[in-house]
Amino acid sequence: MESNCGPPNLEQYCTLDSSSGVQNSSSTASFSPNGSPVSQPNNSCPMALRRSPDNTCSPVSDSCVTDNEHDLSHMIRQLETAMLGTDSDNIDVHAIMASGRSTEVSIESERWKYMMEMIAQGDLKELLCACAKAIENKDMHLTDCLMTQLRQMVSVSGEPKQRLGAYMLEGLVARLASSGSSIYKSLRCKEPASSELLSYMHLLYEICPYFKFGYMSANGAIAEAMKDESRVHIIDFQIVQGSQWLTLIPALAARPGGPPSIRITGFDDSTSAYARGGGLEIVRQRLSKVAELCKVPFEFHAAAISATDVQFENLRIQPGEAIAVNFAMMLHHMPDESVGAQNHRDRLLRLAKSLSPKVVTLVEQEANTNTAPFVPRFLETMNHFLPIFESIDVSLPRDHKERINVEQQCLAREIVNIIACEGPER
């Protein structure tokens, strides 16, 4: 692949100062035009070389040069030998500094050569990481070059790595533009109707094993913990569509001693209300219908607030009920001390602990996309989402009309947000 990016002006990467020296000493050495050492004018007389035989400080004109230049040169050579070794007479300071600059240029040339090799090899992952590091280092010349190449290598209709790369590149572009709260507008896809988005999320749940496995494992732990309980209260701090409980209610109904009475408190905010096509009333209707078919006494308590705002009184705890606390794919969205003075995540965990629950279930992504610095977070995002895109690739043909919609609406927005935003906006 040809590149229209040439090596940058290498001089801008040279950091060594060829005129370095001690600037704050009381007497600084310099050289006269004929090469003989002299001292800068100084009213003090700290050196023994400047003292008279009676040990008093006697000025010799304005410079403190000894009367015997040969003795001074000899003493300097002795000092150099003691400090630097016997070859100190041959040391050329200017040559050393020039060598340092040459080394710096050589390192930069090698780095640029390595970049060009990666471009030629088409190593998309390495180029994405290099672009993230260039942005972190504020190297705009290299960033522009890499982005030009990456745009030719990514595609929303290509292989899993190319599709993920397209959205990660969108995130890098949005980060440079500081899109912030308008981050979602940077994506070149129209916002779907809420009913369509709900169908996309359900499809993702069905074709990607990671989400389903996490929810089913949590349900198994709850069913085991509640096998002898007659009154069960499930507190779900991010209920979304409530899909997790569609399988637990029948499982509890089928236990040998008969079904318990089930009460679910579901928390969620307005963002998820859009994702399910309406408010929490939609969830209540779905779960109530399943409970009715399974002949399970059921009550649903809707709490339309964000988990960061949850207080004890919102939980409506009743005496004699066994409590199950469920954290499903939500703690990585909770701000902690790295975002602000209030650590909402730890406060919520302490609140849950104070309830003395029978069981606590945690379903989370195996990636730190919350508190990690930008470049490590970029790598975590890539490693976490690539298997998801590969799973979709196995389940849906490349030309499937719903595949791009599922990826854009259910995955791309979070990917861009993780890469582009910091603090409360992420």
Side-chain angles (χ1 to χ4, degrees), residues 316-334:
R316 298 189 182 182
I317 302 300
Q318 297 178 1
E321 61 186 10
I323 297 175
V325 174
N326 185 62
F327 296 110
M329 299 298 292
M330 58 86 58
L331 285 182
H332 71 279
H333 292 297
M334 292 285 291

Side-chain angles (χ1 to χ4, degrees), residues 260-304:
S261 65
I262 301 176
R263 187 157 67 98
I264 296 180
T265 298
F267 290 91
D268 224 348
D269 55 21
S270 58
T271 302
S272 293
Y274 166 77
R276 63 176 153 261
L280 286 169
E281 177 63 19
I282 300 292
V283 178
R284 187 194 69 77
Q285 292 175 4
R286 294 180 71 194
L287 298 182
S288 296
K289 184 176 181 179
V290 173
E292 183 180 357
L293 291 174
C294 296
K295 296 181 172 52
V296 174
F298 180 76
E299 179 184 345
F300 183 78
H301 170 219

Side-chain angles (χ1 to χ4, degrees), residues 202-385:
H202 180 71
L203 182 58
L204 179 64
Y205 175 80
E206 290 297 326
I207 64 178
C208 185
Y210 308 104
F211 303 110
K212 183 180 290 188
F213 175 78
Y215 294 148
M216 296 297 289
S217 298
N219 285 350
I222 294 173
E224 176 64 23
M226 301 297 182
K227 62 183 179 180
D228 298 321
E229 301 294 337
S230 59
R231 296 178 60 200
V232 175
H233 183 188
I234 299 172
I235 301 174
D236 190 342
F237 282 104
Q238 191 174 45
I239 197 166
V240 198
Q241 290 84 23
S243 301
Q244 180 175 349
W245 313 120
L246 296 177
T247 56
L248 180 63
I249 293 174
L252 293 176
R255 71 184 193 177
S261 65
I262 301 176
R263 187 157 67 98
I264 296 180
T265 298
F267 290 91
D268 224 348
D269 55 21
S270 58
T271 302
S272 293
Y274 166 77
R276 63 176 153 261
L280 286 169
E281 177 63 19
I282 300 292
V283 178
R284 187 194 69 77
Q285 292 175 4
R286 294 180 71 194
L287 298 182
S288 296
K289 184 176 181 179
V290 173
E292 183 180 357
L293 291 174
C294 296
K295 296 181 172 52
V296 174
F298 180 76
E299 179 184 345
F300 183 78
H301 170 219
I305 58 176
S306 171
T308 58
D309 301 320
V310 174
Q311 302 296 328
F312 177 80
E313 52 268 23
N314 301 127
L315 303 177
R316 298 189 182 182
I317 302 300
Q318 297 178 1
E321 61 186 10
I323 297 175
V325 174
N326 185 62
F327 296 110
M329 299 298 292
M330 58 86 58
L331 285 182
H332 71 279
H333 292 297
M334 292 285 291
D336 61 5
E337 70 278 358
S338 68
V339 176
Q342 289 184 306
N343 190 331
H344 294 285
R345 184 190 62 191
D346 287 4
R347 185 189 67 81
L348 187 64
L349 291 173
R350 287 193 295 269
L351 176 61
K353 183 179 180 181
S354 71
L355 304 176
S356 299
K358 185 90 174 182
V359 61
V360 177
T361 52
L362 173 67
V363 181
E364 266 302 345
Q365 60 186 29
E366 193 174 354
N368 181 8
T369 58
N370 192 338
T371 59
F374 170 59
V375 173
R377 187 169 77 238
F378 186 87
L379 294 173
E380 292 266 7
T381 303
M382 181 181 298
N383 293 332
H384 170 69
F385 280 96

Side-chain angles (χ1 to χ4, degrees), residues 7-313:
N9 182 3
L10 299 181
E11 291 182 0
Q12 65 180 314
Y13 296 99
C14 297
T15 58
L16 294 178
D17 183 0
S18 60
S19 60
S20 61
V22 180
Q23 301 296 328
N24 298 321
S25 61
S26 58
S27 178
T28 58
S30 64
F31 289 85
S32 63
N34 62 8
S36 60
V38 296
S39 298
Q40 299 298 330
N42 198 321
N43 291 328
S44 63
C45 187
M47 299 178 63
L49 293 175
R50 297 173 56 190
R51 295 185 180 273
S52 60
D54 59 357
N55 206 34
T56 61
C57 186
S58 59
V60 183
S61 70
D62 285 337
S63 65
C64 291
V65 181
T66 182
D67 291 335
N68 192 334
E69 293 187 4
H70 176 74
D71 290 344
L72 175 58
S73 299
H74 177 69
M75 293 179 69
I76 290 176
R77 284 196 298 273
Q78 284 185 322
L79 181 60
E80 288 176 340
T81 299
M83 295 180 66
L84 303 177
T86 57
D87 294 329
S88 63
D89 288 341
N90 298 323
I91 294 177
D92 187 339
V93 175
H94 296 285
I96 292 175
M97 302 308 292
S99 175
R101 291 194 301 273
S102 177
T103 301
E104 195 77 11
V105 171
S106 176
I107 292 174
E108 181 57 30
S109 297
E110 287 298 318
R111 186 170 75 96
W112 193 261
K113 180 180 177 182
Y114 175 67
M115 292 296 174
M116 292 301 101
E117 289 177 353
M118 284 197 300
I119 291 173
Q121 294 171 1
D123 194 329
L124 179 57
K125 182 177 180 179
E126 289 294 329
L127 286 177
L128 284 167
C129 294
C131 190
K133 292 175 183 177
I135 292 175
E136 178 77 359
N137 296 331
K138 296 181 173 57
D139 188 342
M140 293 301 100
H141 181 80
L142 183 57
T143 298
D144 291 342
C145 177
L146 291 173
M147 283 188 170
T148 298
Q149 298 300 323
L150 285 168
R151 287 189 182 97
Q152 302 174 35
M153 299 169 63
V154 300
S155 170
V156 295
S157 59
E159 297 178 354
K161 189 181 294 186
Q162 292 176 309
R163 304 200 306 269
L164 173 60
Y167 301 123
M168 298 194 76
L169 180 58
E170 287 284 351
L172 293 175
V173 172
R175 185 178 182 88
L176 285 177
S178 301
S179 299
S181 59
S182 61
I183 190 68
Y184 298 141
K185 296 180 182 178
S186 69
L187 288 176
R188 302 187 184 97
C189 55
K190 294 182 179 180
E191 192 111 313
S194 56
S195 58
E196 292 177 350
L197 180 58
L198 177 59
S199 67
Y200 299 152
M201 297 183 73
H202 180 71
L203 182 58
L204 179 64
Y205 175 80
E206 290 297 326
I207 64 178
C208 185
Y210 308 104
F211 303 110
K212 183 180 290 188
F213 175 78
Y215 294 148
M216 296 297 289
S217 298
N219 285 350
I222 294 173
E224 176 64 23
M226 301 297 182
K227 62 183 179 180
D228 298 321
E229 301 294 337
S230 59
R231 296 178 60 200
V232 175
H233 183 188
I234 299 172
I235 301 174
D236 190 342
F237 282 104
Q238 191 174 45
I239 197 166
V240 198
Q241 290 84 23
S243 301
Q244 180 175 349
W245 313 120
L246 296 177
T247 56
L248 180 63
I249 293 174
L252 293 176
R255 71 184 193 177
S261 65
I262 301 176
R263 187 157 67 98
I264 296 180
T265 298
F267 290 91
D268 224 348
D269 55 21
S270 58
T271 302
S272 293
Y274 166 77
R276 63 176 153 261
L280 286 169
E281 177 63 19
I282 300 292
V283 178
R284 187 194 69 77
Q285 292 175 4
R286 294 180 71 194
L287 298 182
S288 296
K289 184 176 181 179
V290 173
E292 183 180 357
L293 291 174
C294 296
K295 296 181 172 52
V296 174
F298 180 76
E299 179 184 345
F300 183 78
H301 170 219
I305 58 176
S306 171
T308 58
D309 301 320
V310 174
Q311 302 296 328
F312 177 80
E313 52 268 23

Side-chain angles (χ1 to χ4, degrees), residues 387-401:
I388 297 177
F389 276 77
E390 291 173 339
S391 297
I392 296 173
D393 209 53
V394 171
S395 304
L396 293 178
R398 295 275 175 86
D399 57 352
H400 195 285
K401 64 179 182 179

